[in-house]
Amino acid sequence: MSVTSKIQSVVIIALEQLYNHRFGVKDFQINQTKPEFEGDYTVVLFSLLKPLRQSPDVLGNTLGSYLTKQYPALFSSYNVIKGFLNLDISGSFWIGILNDHYQENTFGKKENNGKTIVVEYSSPNTNKPLHLGHLRNNFLGWSVAEILKAEGYNVVKTCIANDRGIHICKSMVAWEKYAGGATPGSTGMKGDHFVGDYYVRFGAEYKKEIQELIDNGMSEAEAEKEAPIMKAAQQMLVDWEAGKPEVIALWKKMNSWVYGGFDTTYKRIGSDFDKMYYESDTYLLGKKLVEEGLKKEVFFKKADNSVWVDLTADGLDEKIVQRKDGTAVYITQDIGLAVEKYEAYHYDQSIYVVGDEQNYHFKVLQLICNKLGLPSSEGIYHLSYGMVELPSGRMKTREGTVVDADDIIDEMIKVAAQKTEELGKVKDFTAEELEKLYNTIGLGALKFFILRVDPKKRMIFNPEESIDFHGFTASFVQFSHARAKAILRNEAPNHQYSLQLNETLLALEKELIILLEKYPAVIHQAAQEHNPSVIVNYCYELAKTFNSFVTEHRVLKAETENKKQLRLRLCRMTANVIASGMQLAGIEVPERM
RNA sequence: GGACCGGUAGCUCAGUUGGAUAGAGCAUCAGCCUUCUAAGCUGAGGGUCAUUGGUUCGAAUCCAAUCCGGUUCACCA
């Protein structure tokens, strides 16, 4: 039980004893005391004044003296300022917390609660390599999954590959026409980049053909339709759906190249999935549900045979769920997939990590599932994140300003290596150790930079700032961990030693313990909000406090043996919590750097 | 035009869900390595929390209106 909830329940009991009035947890607030006042935690009295018909001063003092008398192990003193009852938590209580948890590496993680959450993230298109936007998606999805695991859920990480459709056919057509049989193997290229180049090539050729047609007197709109290369792509899509063997073979071949490339990138960034779904399998799934929906009169058919749902009563529009030719649209597949996931996992919650440009889509999806009476509808949650922009504005494929995932990762690792060499602290590392360290620092910086921002806000990715290793960065947190480990390498805490509980805590020692104690609550909040930035911000704050502590106070040369053991335990617990928290963000922490 | 999201220091972001004098980092300036890692620490300057009104003991936070920016409202995915 956290300190805050302890104080809460004790206050409730006290008020019942003193005033015979039963309050709930939400009837008053417990805050951390502002640094300019004396105390650790503060009971805000305002909301209690009216029901108890007391003045702030009287209530504060009555409650304060009752609490300190009844719970001397918890509270050492109090003061009342205006409507605030500031409580000093006794040092022995804090030292007890430290003693209880400094050795645990599962501190803050909850017991399994038997509930299952499906987290879908990444959802790549198999026609081009991953870019910065995908990285935000992957980092978020992976981290949220880990946070939910830590909070006690069974988590299934899933990925849906958008592996079919006109965009895939475009790269296929371009490859057939212009590659002359070249392969990733023959060119030494990474498969996803290789295929992506042909997607780009398609665009260029298409544009050329349009211009030619226009020059020959065709209107622009007509030219866009009539360009031979576009017709070829459309024909290929028809052939694909008809299952034409050579088209299917080509499709499989090119997709396998892309998957090869994706695997490499996923491995580098540490993304993993428990279950892969493929749009080429799922795109027909929703049709059965469309039939059912028609019978239940959730959907209706228009004269041209297309099927719609009327959401005007819910404040939205009419939305098509099946084309007039009977083929599935995007939302149809998603209805099918939602049901398939539910049947496979009987989830309590199904999270979709998808950009906020699809907010409307997921609102519709949930409404439709609800109207169809699917048990999955309640648990659908769209973890909507904002776009990643560059200082110059949105990334645009046409203007070539898209930041490629592999490129940025390479760059981060390169700069990490340069900086590490400059500092020259790890000259005794082997080549493998160095490579691992560069990866840890480079990739950590990237993940931290992206995850530190609240997911729902759009963010600006400044390449120069992202490779800064000072201040509010992963390196700072990693460095703090390495620093703690350096001390612990010199001397480990003596587990047999029994700390004196009456030891007076210095301000920074206490601050550290208070922060460490909050870690389980931080995980809880992050899980509740599906928000890794809560964890990342916490790790930074912890590292900052630790750095101040280590700079100002000696550990190994502490004034007394008791102080030394206390500080060693502080180092141990801080290192544990930093490592644990950063792990939840997918960021490793080195022993030395 | 309808719906949704956002606007906090020069820049990038926090702000414990309504609490005390709004915080960090970067950048700028001034100090600190003979010491367990200086990728660090200490300090200074920097704010009309977009604007206006409302709700109440109390508002960056809740409500309304306005301004600015974004997304979306496809038989694309």
Side-chain angles (χ1 to χ4, degrees), chain A residues 199-218:
Chain A
Y199 183 72
V200 172
R201 181 71 186 271
F202 177 95
E205 296 295 336
Y206 180 41
K207 205 171 155 191
K208 236 189 272 171
E209 290 185 359
I210 292 173
Q211 195 52 54
E212 261 168 49
L213 292 172
I214 292 175
D215 292 345
N216 291 337
M218 204 180 264

Side-chain angles (χ1 to χ4, degrees), chain A residues 120 123 160 162 279 309 311 316-317 319-321 328-338 341 352-370 380-384:
Chain A
E120 175 184 293
S123 328
I160 172 95
N162 300 121
E279 196 192 312
V309 61
L311 301 174
L316 305 179
D317 310 279
K319 182 86 188 169
I320 191 159
V321 294
V329 293
Y330 181 49
I331 193 112
T332 328
Q333 315 160 21
D334 265 348
I335 300 167
L337 186 55
K341 280 184 192 164
Y352 295 79
V353 183
V354 179
D356 62 7
E357 70 270 15
Q358 294 197 37
N359 285 353
Y360 179 76
H361 171 77
F362 281 98
K363 218 176 265 180
V364 171
L365 177 66
Q366 181 153 33
L367 269 174
I368 291 177
C369 287
N370 194 303
I380 288 176
Y381 179 83
H382 176 205
L383 173 42
S384 163

Side-chain angles (χ1 to χ4, degrees), chain A residues 504-559:
Chain A
T504 312
L505 292 171
L506 296 170
L508 279 167
E509 295 167 340
K510 190 159 89 173
E511 229 175 279
L512 255 185
I513 303 181
I514 292 178
L515 260 175
L516 289 165
E517 193 277 332
K518 288 201 310 198
Y519 182 53
V522 167
I523 294 182
H524 178 72
Q525 193 198 340
Q528 208 75 16
E529 296 175 6
H530 306 99
N531 184 356
S533 79
V534 171
I535 299 271
V536 167
N537 279 282
Y538 168 81
C539 285
Y540 171 66
E541 203 189 338
L542 180 59
K544 206 160 115 75
T545 308
F546 181 76
N547 269 318
S548 299
F549 162 72
V550 164
T551 308
E552 286 195 28
H553 306 297
R554 309 278 80 200
V555 175
L556 299 176
K557 290 180 191 158
E559 305 85 288

Side-chain angles (χ1 to χ4, degrees), chain A residues 152-169:
Chain A
Y153 294 93
N154 300 311
V155 174
V156 184
K157 296 177 185 167
T158 73
C159 177
I160 172 95
N162 300 121
D163 63 345
R164 56 152 226 124
I166 190 72
H167 51 296
I168 310 295
C169 292

Side-chain angles (χ1 to χ4, degrees), chain A residues 1 95-108 517 520 569 572-573 576-577:
Chain A
M1 198 198 235
I95 294 172
I97 299 262
L98 179 64
N99 275 338
D100 289 347
H101 302 295
Y102 80 95
Q103 293 192 76
E104 291 173 14
N105 46 22
T106 55
F107 178 63
E517 193 277 332
R569 287 176 192 192
R572 164 72 68 212
M573 188 160 173
N576 283 350
V577 170

Side-chain angles (χ1 to χ4, degrees), chain A residues 222-291:
Chain A
E222 208 178 337
E224 280 172 9
K225 275 187 208 157
E226 292 302 318
I229 196 166
M230 180 57 85
K231 287 193 140 183
Q234 279 160 348
Q235 182 57 45
M236 192 166 270
L237 184 61
V238 172
D239 290 343
W240 183 89
E241 295 210 9
K244 198 173 173 188
E246 54 275 31
V247 172
I248 298 292
L250 175 62
W251 172 72
K252 279 189 178 162
K253 181 164 73 180
M254 290 186 71
N255 269 353
S256 77
W257 292 339
V258 174
Y259 291 134
F262 284 171
D263 282 349
T264 306
T265 305
Y266 283 142
K267 202 167 273 176
R268 287 182 94 188
I269 64 176
S271 267
D272 58 330
F273 306 100
D274 300 307
K275 171 75 183 168
M276 284 294 302
Y277 288 102
Y278 299 92
E279 196 192 312
S280 53
D281 294 331
T282 64
Y283 84 110
L284 296 168
L285 277 175
K287 289 187 159 192
K288 194 180 62 159
L289 292 151
V290 171
E291 287 295 313

Side-chain angles (χ1 to χ4, degrees), chain A residues 2 44 116 173 183 188 195 217 249 284 389 394 428 453 544 550 556:
Chain A
S2 69
V44 184
T116 298
V173 165
T183 67
V195 172
L284 296 168
E389 288 176 21
R394 269 186 87 161
D428 56 328
V453 181
K544 206 160 115 75
V550 164
L556 299 176

Side-chain angles (χ1 to χ4, degrees), chain A residues 252-451:
Chain A
K252 279 189 178 162
K253 181 164 73 180
M254 290 186 71
N255 269 353
S256 77
W257 292 339
V258 174
Y259 291 134
F262 284 171
D263 282 349
T264 306
T265 305
Y266 283 142
K267 202 167 273 176
R268 287 182 94 188
I269 64 176
S271 267
D272 58 330
F273 306 100
D274 300 307
K275 171 75 183 168
M276 284 294 302
Y277 288 102
Y278 299 92
E279 196 192 312
S280 53
D281 294 331
T282 64
Y283 84 110
L284 296 168
L285 277 175
K287 289 187 159 192
K288 194 180 62 159
L289 292 151
V290 171
E291 287 295 313
E292 283 176 26
L294 275 168
K295 273 184 210 145
K296 290 183 191 168
E297 295 184 344
V298 172
F299 302 143
F300 65 95
K301 214 170 242 190
K302 287 199 175 173
D304 66 359
N305 228 22
S306 56
V307 182
W308 295 71
V309 61
D310 183 1
L311 301 174
T312 46
D314 302 283
L316 305 179
D317 310 279
E318 287 185 352
K319 182 86 188 169
I320 191 159
V321 294
Q322 189 170 288
R323 295 191 187 99
K324 63 186 172 194
D325 61 5
T327 56
V329 293
Y330 181 49
I331 193 112
T332 328
Q333 315 160 21
D334 265 348
I335 300 167
L337 186 55
V339 173
E340 176 153 305
K341 280 184 192 164
Y342 185 76
E343 283 170 358
Y345 302 109
H346 289 91
Y347 55 72
D348 298 277
Q349 200 176 103
S350 178
I351 298 175
Y352 295 79
V353 183
V354 179
D356 62 7
E357 70 270 15
Q358 294 197 37
N359 285 353
Y360 179 76
H361 171 77
F362 281 98
K363 218 176 265 180
V364 171
L365 177 66
Q366 181 153 33
L367 269 174
I368 291 177
C369 287
N370 194 303
K371 284 178 190 296
L372 287 172
L374 304 175
S376 52
S377 69
E378 287 299 309
I380 288 176
Y381 179 83
H382 176 205
L383 173 42
S384 163
Y385 64 89
M387 224 158 255
V388 183
E389 288 176 21
L390 301 174
S392 52
R394 269 186 87 161
M395 296 192 287
K396 287 185 184 133
T397 316
R398 274 170 304 168
E399 292 171 20
T401 54
V402 176
V403 176
D404 179 76
D406 293 310
D407 288 351
I408 188 75
I409 295 167
D410 288 341
E411 178 67 15
M412 299 296 292
I413 293 171
K414 201 182 90 195
V415 178
Q418 268 171 17
K419 187 67 194 171
T420 305
E421 270 170 43
E422 271 171 39
L423 289 171
K425 295 186 196 174
V426 287
K427 288 182 174 152
D428 56 328
F429 271 34
T430 66
E432 285 102 307
E433 284 173 331
L434 280 176
E435 201 194 323
K436 180 154 195 286
L437 181 64
Y438 299 158
N439 267 291
T440 299
I441 295 173
L443 218 42
L446 184 59
K447 289 185 181 182
F448 195 98
F449 191 85
I450 289 176
L451 286 178

